[in-house]
Amino acid sequence: MLRKIGRLFVIKTRFEAFLIIYALALGSCARGTAYLQQFPGFGGQLLFLATTGAVFLAGAKMLDCIRLEKEVADLREAAAARSGE
């Protein structure tokens, strides 16, 4: 039962990753605007930049991991096909 629930939290495709990145970006911009109101001026702008920059880093990592997992699965499939011959 826990495995079925756990599978819901696994990102399998690039489309799912883009949806999550979009949601993170919306939250980041909301947090950034709150920073701009709390800390007007250069400090608030730096915090806004930091929140949006974190989304770029997390998104890039997610997309890289999806590509890597696909490559590993393809290699395992090819190795299994070779050993089965």
Side-chain angles (χ1 to χ4, degrees):
M1 180 64 173
L2 288 177
R3 282 193 184 175
K4 288 183 181 181
I5 294 172
R7 286 190 319 200
L8 293 173
F9 298 99
V10 176
I11 304 169
K12 297 176 189 117
T13 63
R14 290 176 56 90
F15 180 72
E16 291 173 350
F18 283 125
L19 288 176
I20 292 171
I21 292 167
Y22 178 72
L24 288 173
L26 284 179
S28 148
C29 288
R31 184 69 236 166
T33 55
Y35 281 142
L36 287 174
Q37 290 175 354
Q38 288 178 343
F39 307 105
F42 188 67
Q45 291 173 353
L46 282 178
L47 288 170
F48 189 96
L49 182 66
T51 59
T52 55
V55 174
F56 282 113
L57 293 174
K61 190 65 170 177
M62 277 190 262
L63 293 173
D64 284 345
C65 288
I66 290 172
R67 185 181 315 131
L68 178 67
E69 287 176 357
K70 185 177 185 283
E71 289 176 5
V72 168
D74 290 344
L75 288 174
R76 284 183 181 160
E77 194 174 291
R82 275 185 273 156
S83 65
E85 291 178 353

